[in-house]
Amino acid sequence: MAALPMGMGVLTSKTFAATLPPLSEDAPNAKALNYVKVAADAADHPAFKEDAYCDNCMFWQPNTNGCTLFQGFSVEAKGWCQSWVKRPG
């Protein structure tokens, strides 16, 4: 029984995280980093690299589809922004 409150807190956090609102390409912070929901849309950007997607970036949070650069929002797995850095490993 003692672990129940802690377990409920974790469940609540994961439930909240799973419902993060999607980041709009029109949001000021998205525009500042040239975020696009479809990476191919950024192919003409000088920082773009082939196979660079949110889901293989070091800032990607796979359990929430979140990004540490866009706190409180989910991003598209196959999206891209100019801050993309290959995830180690």
Side-chain angles (χ1 to χ4, degrees), residues 6-20 63-65:
M6 186 174 132
M8 289 177 65
V10 171
L11 179 61
T12 303
S13 296
K14 289 190 180 216
T15 301
F16 171 75
T19 61
L20 290 174
N63 57 333
T64 63
N65 285 0

Side-chain angles (χ1 to χ4, degrees), residues 22 35-38 53-55 60 65 74-80:
Y35 169 75
V36 291
K37 292 181 179 186
V38 178
Y53 303 109
C54 292
D55 68 358
W60 171 256
N65 285 0
S74 65
V75 295
E76 292 295 322
K78 297 303 178 190
W80 178 88

Side-chain angles (χ1 to χ4, degrees), residues 51-69:
D51 295 325
Y53 303 109
C54 292
D55 68 358
N56 63 16
C57 177
M58 69 179 284
F59 301 116
W60 171 256
Q61 298 174 323
N63 57 333
T64 63
N65 285 0
C67 174
T68 59
L69 301 176

Side-chain angles (χ1 to χ4, degrees), residues 26-45:
D26 294 325
N29 54 346
K31 283 185 174 188
L33 294 179
N34 294 297
Y35 169 75
V36 291
K37 292 181 179 186
V38 178
D41 292 347
D44 62 343
H45 191 282

